[in-house]
Amino acid sequence: MAKTGVCRLTCEHRDRPLGIDCARPRFSWWMDDSRPGAMQSAYHLQVADDEGFAATAMVWETGERVSAESVLVPYDGAPLRSCSRYYFRVRLRDHLEQWSDWSDASWFETAFLEPGEWQAEWIVPADDDGDSGGPPPYLRRRFGASGEILSARLYLAARGLAEVSLNGSRVGEDVLSPGWTDYDARTQYLTYDVGSLIRTGENALCVILGDGWYSGRIARVRDERRCFGARPQLLCELHLTLRSGEKEVIRSDASWMWRTGALLASDIYDGESYDARAELPGWDSPGADEAGWSAVRVVGPASAAWDGTVPSSSGGPAIDAKVVPPVRAVEELTPVRQTEPESGTYVFDLGQNITGWARIRLTAKAGTTITLRFAEMLNPDGTLYVENLRSAKATDTYVCAGDGEFVWEPRFTFHGFRYVEVSGVASAPGPERITGVVLHNDLEETGVFQCSHPLVNRLQSNIRWGQRGNYLEAPTDCPQRDERLGWTGDAQVFIPTAAFNMQVAPFFAKWQRDMADSQGPQGTIPSVAPAIRYMTPADENDGGPAWSDAFVICPWTVYEKYGDLRIVAEHYEAMSRFVDSMRRRSRGLIRSDQFVEDWGGYGDWVSMDAPEGSTIGATPKDLIGTAYFAYSVDLLRRMAEALGRSRDVVMLRDLHRRIVTAFRGEYVTASGRLLGDTQTSYVVALAFDLLPQELRQPAVDRLVRLLELRNWRLSTGFVGTPLLCPVLTRFGREDVAYRLLLQEEYPSWLYTVNQGATTMWERWNSYTHEHGFGPVSMNSFNHYAYGSIGDWMYTSVAGLAVDMSEPGEPVIRIAPKPGYGLTGASAELVTPYGAAKSSWTMDEGLVTLDVLIPANAWARAVIPAGQSDIRIDAEEGEAHLEDLVVPEDNADGLYTFRVAAGRYQFVWTTAASG
């Protein structure tokens, strides 16, 4: 008999997290069991401060707990100690009452569990006189280690960016760290294991600071670099544990020294300048000559704000352990083509639009300036198209120190680009000398989609690359121009797609804090997070419908996809304040801001039915606003139910009912027509269940008619497009949804593919072979919002989804819609329980669907077999088919089954054309 097992242990969604500040971490695991119907019936979890799990080392164990729970089980033992490693392991009992062996042990390590534990002080170069600018500072601190080192941990925060070295060796593989926050509210820190780099005797801890999002140029402010302070700041502690048991702490304080070096300037928008002639050989080694170095200035204790003020006991800016994997170099690309559009200027085509930088390996004479420029597209003459960058210079320069070969890449900038222009070299470099380095938060890639249509597969690649290019510290709108902000509307429409492609729960846990930090005193949420101070004045920071609603939609989606209720609980009160702000600012529950004249949000942004010269569509902004008001209230009601807040459930249900009534009275005619009569008006009303039952079909019919009148082309913008195909499919018109997906005429998803897109574009016509480039003011070639079609492709075309928001219900949903121009599609997803798969092919009307359900999970499969008989095959093993595939319903030709863990094949015939 096969024996069950346990694998893939995680803590807080991560494998062996180093440096968490969560007092009650949560544990997850997979049941490692390929038997059909395998289910966990009980588990036993242990947490100890020693990997031997001796009784004296145990800090918590559950005992043999009868439960199928295996996702985010919260710690409930003795208080954890700061800066300590803990080990955990699990064994489980299967559906046949057999216990597994103990799993291999995993671990997590705490950092500072209380903010007052920091001993370090914020330090800054002593020339910080309040004026911004100046070369990035190099900082160092010599220290001695008096005995054999047992362990060493570096805890590092920065206002700005930091690259660390210890005794001449680079610390960590992350870049652009510790990342981006609203520095008025919080700063992140990272934990590094540096035990292998410490020497007995003399050591040197060294840091280069970059301006980054703290003191660099952000959000199109041409002449103003400092978004917060003038110069970047450092806070760090190095904790040494000696073999003798003694502990030593080296911290940032007045004993540190600083100076400038070869790095002359760094800016996220404008690029980096480096003069190798000014390098400081060995500057980060213990024995470096410190002549010419100066003392730093202490800003204040760890609790101090960036301007040095020390808040009252009520608390100041938070210092949080980073909850999301940091930005890393995740891939490298070699150019596929090289040209010389102008004499001495060489352009290298990576073949893919990316976010990152270029590494160069070139040969030049001393004093030569090598200039790198970056662009997403080329002009017809082969030169870089940079007009869409607006004021961003996106230029890196390197000055050679001596004759011969050198290798260089920047530290504190990034670019959005496909093309690299190199000038200043004496002759054409080979393509192997230019490397495109791809950067983004190092999130696990979890989903795979493919189908029989090559253009749709290219579309999926574009969606994936668009996400990779914009999931860099925040879900940004674009990575190339003088913007690169965490636009909330873009993020909320794309998060279901994002959660398929990557493990984004930690990413959105961080970004939800960014949104909470930006919340205004009246409860409003701005349109970007982290907040940009001049864009979000405290009295007018309402981001508007579909944008500010991200504050409610994103945590709901994280709960739905990952079963993570903590993000909901932590932000429930703030979400309630946001909903109340909408209620107070509405006119009779119609969401039309009565406090800010002419402001109702961004409408259906870049809709095709927008008036000439406008980016705001014809759908009334208050209609969109009221629809989203109802939707946010309904989602908050569902979250209140999940949290057991019964009084709030009653209140929110009544508020939702009244908003729906107001919506119908304001925007819906007796025949079911919607005010504005646009595709988007019908889509939002249907998506959010705002119409009475008897008017839903007329609304669907009108939506289809509007599409037909445009020759089966959409006119929707950022608001309507993500909902369009899901609404059509939900109301039985997947034939029209497929028609839109496979449409190749303008505007459509495949139109941009045929124009050469390798990422998602901001506009359907950002570039066309016929007319060239679109309006330069808003013309990003890496803008993921329209990539939100991905969620429909995964859930309806391939037919695979996860929903953990309904306790007791199957968490995996199998519901493909085969045919309509495709002969096959498949999706594979790493779910919280293990790998799941839905894959179908169709041959002359015969559909074969292969399904994989992971152990300890159930699925609900909805098979669109019509009047056809369904043949079901399974690897039965010890179980019987009737116990593994349980019929639940048969209505309108949709056969619903409850399906246990295992591999299955469903076969039926269909009339849908392939």
Side-chain angles (χ1 to χ4, degrees):
M1 180 188 300
K3 189 172 184 179
T4 194
V6 188
C7 64
R8 198 178 160 101
L9 276 65
T10 58
C11 175
E12 289 300 314
H13 299 286
R14 291 182 286 164
D15 177 28
R16 294 168 295 181
L18 178 67
I20 63 172
D21 59 1
C22 176
R24 294 189 68 216
R26 297 163 300 169
F27 308 101
S28 304
W29 58 89
W30 288 1
M31 184 180 188
D32 186 10
D33 197 326
S34 61
R35 291 174 297 170
M39 286 293 294
Q40 172 186 299
S41 61
Y43 69 87
H44 186 179
L45 171 64
Q46 292 182 333
V47 181
D49 59 14
D50 181 88
E51 59 186 327
F53 292 91
T56 54
M58 209 69 64
V59 295
W60 181 55
E61 67 174 312
T62 61
E64 296 180 356
R65 182 175 290 178
V66 177
S67 172
E69 188 178 19
S70 63
V71 178
L72 299 173
V73 176
Y75 176 83
D76 194 26
L80 300 173
R81 302 184 303 275
S82 293
C83 305
S84 300
R85 176 168 292 192
Y86 293 92
Y87 301 85
F88 65 100
R89 63 180 183 177
V90 185
R91 66 187 187 113
L92 58 84
R93 190 181 67 192
D94 67 15
H95 54 294
L96 300 177
E97 306 296 307
Q98 300 298 309
W99 281 93
S100 73
D101 296 330
W102 284 107
S103 68
D104 292 337
S106 188
W107 56 262
F108 66 94
E109 194 168 300
T110 57
F112 300 118
L113 298 179
E114 298 293 338
E117 294 178 292
W118 280 93
Q119 305 173 46
E121 298 172 294
W122 287 103
I123 59 175
V124 71
D127 71 341
D128 176 23
D129 57 4
D131 294 328
S132 59
Y138 292 49
L139 294 85
R140 60 178 273 121
R141 163 76 151 83
R142 277 198 296 220
F143 65 94
S146 57
E148 183 181 356
I149 302 298
L150 183 64
S151 67
R153 297 291 183 270
L154 174 64
Y155 305 96
L156 184 138
R159 290 164 175 156
L161 304 175
E163 181 180 287
V164 189
S165 59
L166 187 55
N167 296 329
S169 296
R170 171 76 189 275
V171 173
E173 297 178 345
D174 47 291
V175 299
L176 303 175
S177 288
W180 182 20
T181 54
D182 177 351
Y183 298 98
D184 280 332
R186 76 183 63 245
T187 302
Q188 300 173 114
Y189 69 93
L190 284 165
T191 302
Y192 300 94
D193 181 350
V194 294
S196 63
L197 303 179
I198 301 289
R199 309 170 183 171
T200 300
E202 193 81 350
N203 292 266
L205 177 59
C206 304
V207 181
I208 305 175
L209 295 178
D211 291 343
W213 294 276
Y214 173 74
S215 51
R217 190 164 74 89
I218 298 295
R220 286 177 273 173
V221 184
R222 293 171 183 266
D223 301 318
E224 177 66 65
R225 284 180 49 79
R226 53 182 295 178
C227 192
F228 293 91
R231 296 279 264 160
Q233 302 176 1
L234 174 68
L235 179 80
C236 68
E237 292 185 15
L238 176 60
H239 288 215
L240 305 178
T241 301
L242 279 58
R243 181 72 61 182
S244 64
E246 295 179 81
K247 296 182 183 294
E248 299 178 4
V249 177
I250 292 85
R251 60 192 180 94
S252 53
D253 57 21
S255 65
W256 283 61
M257 309 289 285
W258 83 278
R259 66 166 296 166
T260 57
L263 188 53
L264 304 182
S266 71
D267 186 83
I268 287 175
Y269 289 170
D270 294 336
E272 195 157 292
S273 296
Y274 189 90
D275 188 342
R277 297 171 299 182
E279 286 180 339
L280 307 170
W283 76 276
D284 54 358
S285 64
D289 183 0
E290 293 186 345
W293 290 73
S294 304
V296 299
R297 178 173 67 85
V298 172
V299 176
S303 59
W306 58 266
D307 61 2
T309 58
V310 180
S312 66
S313 57
S314 61
I319 307 175
D320 290 341
K322 193 175 183 74
V323 298
V324 61
V327 177
R328 295 190 177 99
V330 296
E331 190 172 340
E332 296 185 354
L333 301 180
T334 301
V336 298
R337 185 168 175 262
Q338 175 181 348
T339 59
E340 187 180 2
E342 298 174 330
S343 180
T345 298
Y346 306 97
V347 174
F348 297 85
D349 177 6
L350 296 176
Q352 173 63 54
N353 198 11
I354 68 170
T355 298
W357 59 50
R359 181 190 308 121
I360 54 176
R361 180 170 61 88
L362 300 173
T363 301
K365 293 184 178 297
T368 301
T369 298
I370 309 296
T371 301
L372 308 178
R373 297 199 306 147
F374 302 86
E376 298 176 298
M377 298 288 283
L378 298 179
N379 290 311
D381 62 1
T383 60
L384 298 190
Y385 170 74
V386 296
E387 285 75 12
N388 70 323
L389 304 183
R390 300 191 297 216
S391 69
K393 296 175 183 176
T395 301
D396 298 337
T397 60
Y398 179 92
V399 181
C400 304
D403 299 345
E405 185 176 270
F406 65 90
V407 178
W408 180 79
E409 60 189 314
R411 289 180 169 90
F412 301 131
T413 189
F414 63 90
H415 312 289
F417 66 102
R418 172 175 172 173
Y419 300 94
V420 185
E421 179 194 271
V422 180
S423 61
V425 292
S427 60
E432 75 281 356
R433 293 182 172 270
I434 308 297
T435 302
V437 181
V438 179
L439 305 178
H440 60 75
N441 284 92
D442 193 9
L443 307 174
E444 178 189 5
E445 299 198 4
T446 53
V448 177
F449 169 89
Q450 59 184 359
C451 71
S452 59
H453 199 304
L455 294 184
V456 177
N457 290 337
R458 178 71 247 191
L459 172 62
Q460 166 61 10
S461 176
N462 293 357
I463 293 169
R464 176 175 168 269
W465 276 102
Q467 181 172 349
R468 296 178 98 198
N470 284 290
Y471 272 36
L472 195 156
E473 281 304 298
T476 58
D477 60 326
C478 62
Q480 77 295 92
R481 67 190 181 206
D482 56 356
E483 193 165 0
R484 315 187 199 187
L485 303 177
W487 283 93
T488 49
D490 305 47
Q492 69 88 359
V493 300
F494 188 74
I495 184 174
T497 299
F500 176 88
N501 289 319
M502 294 179 177
Q503 196 344 334
V504 298
F507 186 81
F508 277 92
K510 181 267 181 188
W511 193 62
Q512 187 73 14
R513 290 179 182 175
D514 291 334
M515 285 194 286
D517 289 341
S518 71
Q519 188 169 32
Q522 303 303 313
T524 54
I525 297 293
S527 52
V528 297
I532 302 301
R533 298 163 80 208
Y534 79 90
M535 291 182 66
T536 55
D539 58 339
E540 295 181 10
N541 69 341
D542 179 8
W547 271 254
S548 58
D549 297 271
F551 193 52
V552 173
I553 295 169
C554 290
W556 168 259
T557 306
V558 170
Y559 172 50
E560 180 184 53
K561 303 300 183 183
Y562 301 103
D564 190 338
L565 195 56
R566 182 170 288 175
I567 189 174
V568 173
E570 287 183 352
H571 297 279
Y572 181 82
E573 297 298 338
M575 288 188 286
S576 297
R577 289 196 301 274
F578 165 66
V579 164
D580 192 55
S581 77
M582 287 192 287
R583 180 190 60 79
R584 287 184 289 101
R585 297 166 76 92
S586 68
R587 293 184 176 95
L589 298 181
I590 297 300
R591 189 179 179 183
S592 179
D593 198 331
Q594 58 183 306
F595 297 93
V596 183
E597 187 177 356
D598 297 327
W599 175 245
Y602 299 96
D604 193 20
W605 187 249
V606 293
S607 168
M608 296 304 300
D609 57 18
E612 184 71 26
S614 174
T615 53
I616 297 176
T619 307
K621 292 195 289 185
D622 53 344
L623 182 153
I624 294 172
T626 307
Y628 265 92
F629 183 15
Y631 184 49
S632 287
V633 168
D634 190 49
L635 290 184
L636 189 63
R637 188 263 308 166
R638 293 188 228 176
M639 289 186 270
E641 287 180 341
L643 294 173
R645 303 179 72 119
S646 55
R647 293 182 63 181
D648 286 1
V649 170
V650 173
M651 181 271 292
L652 290 165
R653 184 178 288 117
D654 179 67
L655 177 59
H656 180 263
R657 177 189 59 76
R658 291 187 289 120
I659 298 169
V660 171
T661 299
F663 181 92
R664 293 172 180 175
E666 188 79 9
Y667 305 114
V668 186
T669 70
S671 63
R673 287 290 181 96
L674 271 293
L675 187 66
D677 198 34
T678 65
Q679 293 176 17
T680 292
S681 62
Y682 291 98
V683 164
V684 296
L686 290 164
F688 301 153
D689 293 326
L690 302 178
L691 301 178
Q693 193 69 41
E694 66 273 12
L695 294 183
R696 292 182 183 183
Q697 190 58 50
V700 172
D701 295 340
R702 181 59 183 169
L703 172 60
V704 172
R705 178 59 178 159
L706 290 174
L707 289 164
E708 183 181 16
L709 290 172
R710 295 183 67 95
N711 294 318
W712 305 107
R713 302 175 196 178
L714 52 77
S715 64
T716 48
F718 275 26
V719 171
T721 302
L723 303 172
L724 182 55
C725 287
V727 162
L728 288 167
T729 302
R730 175 186 169 193
F731 289 96
R733 295 309 307 266
E734 61 265 22
D735 59 323
V736 179
Y738 266 96
R739 194 165 189 170
L740 295 175
L741 174 68
L742 301 181
Q743 172 68 261
E744 295 186 41
E745 299 299 319
Y746 170 79
S748 68
W749 290 280
L750 299 190
Y751 180 79
T752 62
V753 172
N754 285 329
Q755 305 308 305
T758 65
T759 43
M760 301 307 299
W761 292 354
E762 185 171 19
R763 299 174 182 268
W764 303 113
N765 62 343
S766 287
Y767 172 84
T768 69
H769 295 314
E770 183 180 2
H771 300 295
F773 295 105
V776 298
S777 62
M778 303 291 290
N779 203 29
S780 163
F781 291 92
N782 196 345
H783 227 87
Y784 59 66
Y786 284 141
S788 53
I789 185 64
D791 181 56
W792 179 79
M793 289 158 50
Y794 317 143
T795 60
S796 295
V797 177
L800 178 61
V802 170
D803 186 348
M804 299 184 65
S805 67
E806 300 181 55
E809 290 297 307
V811 298
I812 296 172
R813 309 296 166 88
I814 305 294
K817 302 292 185 181
Y820 306 105
L822 299 185
T823 58
S826 68
E828 300 177 43
L829 179 64
V830 177
T831 78
Y833 295 90
K837 182 177 182 179
S838 173
S839 177
W840 62 265
T841 59
M842 186 164 62
D843 184 11
E844 297 183 352
L846 185 69
V847 180
T848 301
L849 171 66
D850 291 299
V851 171
L852 170 64
I853 308 301
N856 202 34
W858 282 86
R860 175 163 288 123
V862 181
I863 308 300
Q867 302 304 310
S868 169
D869 291 331
I870 304 175
R871 189 182 80 239
I872 305 173
D873 296 319
E875 297 177 0
E876 295 188 42
E878 301 156 359
H880 298 291
L881 181 61
E882 59 268 24
D883 298 321
L884 300 174
V885 182
V886 182
E888 288 189 326
D889 194 13
N890 175 16
D892 301 322
L894 297 176
Y895 294 78
T896 304
F897 301 92
R898 187 179 177 97
V899 184
R903 294 180 181 273
Y904 305 90
Q905 188 173 87
F906 298 80
V907 181
W908 70 95
T909 57
T910 181
S913 65

